[in-house]
Amino acid sequence: MRRTPILFLAAAPVAGLLVACGDPKVTYVHVPAPTAQQSTHLRGRVIDAISGEGLVGARVTTNGVSTTSGSNGNYVLGGLGVGATELVTSRVGYDTLRAQIPLPGGDYEFTARLKQSATP
């Protein structure tokens, strides 16, 4: 009698496997359940490069997501994914800052230091 190997796939470890027909060869492959895509929670401050004071009302944008800095120049952007990206920070009276930053997953902090514009 020819015996055919059985291939059994599971999304979690199996406590046991009962095979009713003789002694077939069994191959067990563990396939982990899919996980949610990792994301990065970006937070930080927008400050004046000379004085170090927080800048209220600065626009912070990356990956099509943006926010405006609040009191003390604080900002938060969540659910950004992972990988290197460009963060663009701008405010009236200041030069726009373009910075390449990593988005490693989890929490990441970045302080944007803006220089006052030479032209009014």
Side-chain angles (χ1 to χ4, degrees), residues 8-14 28-34:
F8 181 76
L9 299 175
V14 175
Y28 174 78
V29 178
H30 175 70
V31 179

Side-chain angles (χ1 to χ4, degrees), residues 11 38 98 102 104 110:
Q38 226 181 355
R98 295 178 181 278
F110 181 79

Side-chain angles (χ1 to χ4, degrees), residues 44-46 54-57 68-75:
R45 288 185 73 204
V46 180
L55 298 174
V56 178
T68 303
S69 62
S71 62
N72 296 323
N74 297 321
Y75 70 89

Side-chain angles (χ1 to χ4, degrees), residues 37-103:
Q37 182 179 5
Q38 226 181 355
S39 66
T40 303
H41 189 82
L42 176 64
R43 69 177 68 234
R45 288 185 73 204
V46 180
I47 63 172
D48 181 283
I50 305 270
S51 71
E53 291 183 25
L55 298 174
V56 178
R59 188 81 164 161
V60 181
T61 305
T62 188
N63 292 343
V65 179
S66 64
T67 191
T68 303
S69 62
S71 62
N72 296 323
N74 297 321
Y75 70 89
V76 176
L77 289 168
L80 295 177
V82 295
T85 189
E86 181 179 60
L87 182 72
V88 180
T89 310
S90 60
R91 184 175 186 272
V92 174
Y94 288 82
D95 293 334
T96 297
L97 174 68
R98 295 178 181 278
Q100 292 295 317
I101 62 169
L103 296 178

